[in-house]
Amino acid sequence: MIASNQELEKWLLETPLQNQNILEVACGGGWVSRYLAKHNTPKSYLGIDFAPSAVKNALTLNANNNFDFKEADALDSTLYEKNYDFIMAHQFLHCLIGKDRTKWLQLCHQSLKESGGHLFISSMVTIPKSLAGTIDPETKTNKPRNRYYADENEIEEELKAVNFKIIKQAKPEQYVNFYLAKACV
């Protein structure tokens, strides 16, 4: 997803993240944290991922940076006890299905509301024609039931329902949307 990653780099450069407390959900191999360390050094950073191999790669890639990484479940409420200024989840929301989507958005809002912080989400949207035969059109999930293909309006409504105000959005490539939302009290 080269176009999405390049668009994210532009968004990160445009977003004042210096001296911010940042949580990255689904930090993957650590390229975003490395980019942040180089261009937009935060006050604190915690990157979490469910996959041990991703955390190991992130630690290796960021060996010289003062960033923390840990293997964790994004729905673990203890991760959101700190008041963050910015939570980002690049290519993650589509991995949540059903009530887990609302639960995760509520956890993010809980952590961001005191600072009036921001949530960045990128997600696959709508069912790609190339995958139409592998996705149940009624449930909008794939056969392993580990991806949910929301409609664009659905994500907007999910954010609004838990008291986020969308302040910026983009479509960097087909079937991918970006959202930057502010936590409202």
Side-chain angles (χ1 to χ4, degrees):
M1 303 186 85
I2 295 168
S4 290
N5 291 342
Q6 289 172 339
E7 183 70 14
L8 176 57
E9 288 176 355
K10 287 189 337 192
W11 278 41
L12 291 173
L13 283 176
E14 296 168 0
T15 306
L17 297 174
Q18 295 88 353
N19 298 316
Q20 301 270 316
N21 295 308
I22 298 175
L23 171 63
E24 183 182 5
V25 177
C27 65
W31 79 266
V32 172
S33 57
R34 187 170 182 123
Y35 189 83
L36 285 172
K38 183 176 179 183
H39 297 285
N40 217 340
T41 307
K43 180 178 181 180
S44 72
Y45 170 94
L46 173 61
I48 63 165
D49 203 290
F50 195 70
S53 58
V55 173
K56 181 180 177 187
N57 291 340
L59 285 165
T60 301
L61 188 61
N62 291 278
N64 297 323
N65 298 329
N66 190 19
F67 286 34
D68 292 324
F69 298 90
K70 73 188 242 183
E71 183 184 338
D73 182 337
L75 297 173
D76 177 353
S77 63
T78 62
L79 296 168
Y80 304 89
E81 291 174 349
K82 180 176 181 174
N83 291 324
Y84 288 100
D85 301 298
F86 193 80
I87 296 176
M88 63 180 311
H90 183 44
Q91 301 175 358
F92 171 71
L93 184 62
H94 51 263
C95 298
L96 295 175
I97 298 172
K99 293 178 182 177
D100 287 347
R101 295 170 67 84
T102 301
K103 179 180 179 182
W104 180 73
L105 288 170
Q106 288 171 332
L107 289 168
C108 291
H109 186 269
Q110 166 192 311
S111 179
L112 293 166
K113 70 181 176 186
E114 197 167 306
S115 69
H118 293 86
L119 172 65
F120 167 82
I121 296 172
S122 69
S123 182
M124 294 187 294
V125 293
T126 65
I127 298 172
K129 290 177 184 163
S130 63
L131 299 177
T134 64
I135 312 280
D136 180 332
E138 287 185 37
T139 64
K140 299 186 220 173
T141 57
N142 61 355
K143 289 189 179 179
R145 295 199 39 81
N146 63 359
R147 296 287 182 274
Y148 179 76
Y149 296 84
D151 296 323
E152 294 175 34
N153 295 341
E154 187 177 359
I155 294 174
E156 293 171 25
E157 291 303 315
E158 287 174 321
L159 286 164
K160 290 175 188 174
V162 295
N163 219 12
F164 277 105
K165 178 182 178 187
I166 298 169
I167 57 174
K168 184 177 178 182
Q169 62 187 72
K171 190 172 192 69
E173 56 189 293
Q174 192 174 22
Y175 306 115
V176 177
N177 276 25
F178 281 11
Y179 302 89
L180 183 63
K182 181 177 178 66
C184 301
V185 179

